[in-house]
Amino acid sequence: KKAYRSIRNYYKEQMKGEVIAVGDGIFTSTGKKIPMKLKVGDTVIVPNTGTQLRLDGEKYNLYREQEILIRLS
């Protein structure tokens, strides 16, 4: 029962969101470009962390692609 509560609490700390912007990707140390797998409009589950900022009165969380837990769509 303790494990179930721990898992449930873990999921309460996650957030569901929509991707509103993506970058071009990243470059490896050898210069090879790795494009983004996410695209605008994807629904994702993310940890309740990330870099938070306010822009024009709206709150946004910024994440690196590897921080995304699950892509739902």
Side-chain angles (χ1 to χ4, degrees), residues 23-36:
D24 293 332
I26 61 171
F27 289 91
T28 66
S29 59
T30 60
K32 180 181 176 187
K33 184 177 180 181
I34 301 173
M36 299 289 286

Side-chain angles (χ1 to χ4, degrees), residues 19 21-26 33-40 63 65:
V19 176
V22 296
D24 293 332
I26 61 171
K33 184 177 180 181
I34 301 173
M36 299 289 286
K37 294 178 184 173
L38 294 172
K39 59 186 179 302
V40 173
Y63 295 91
E65 191 173 55

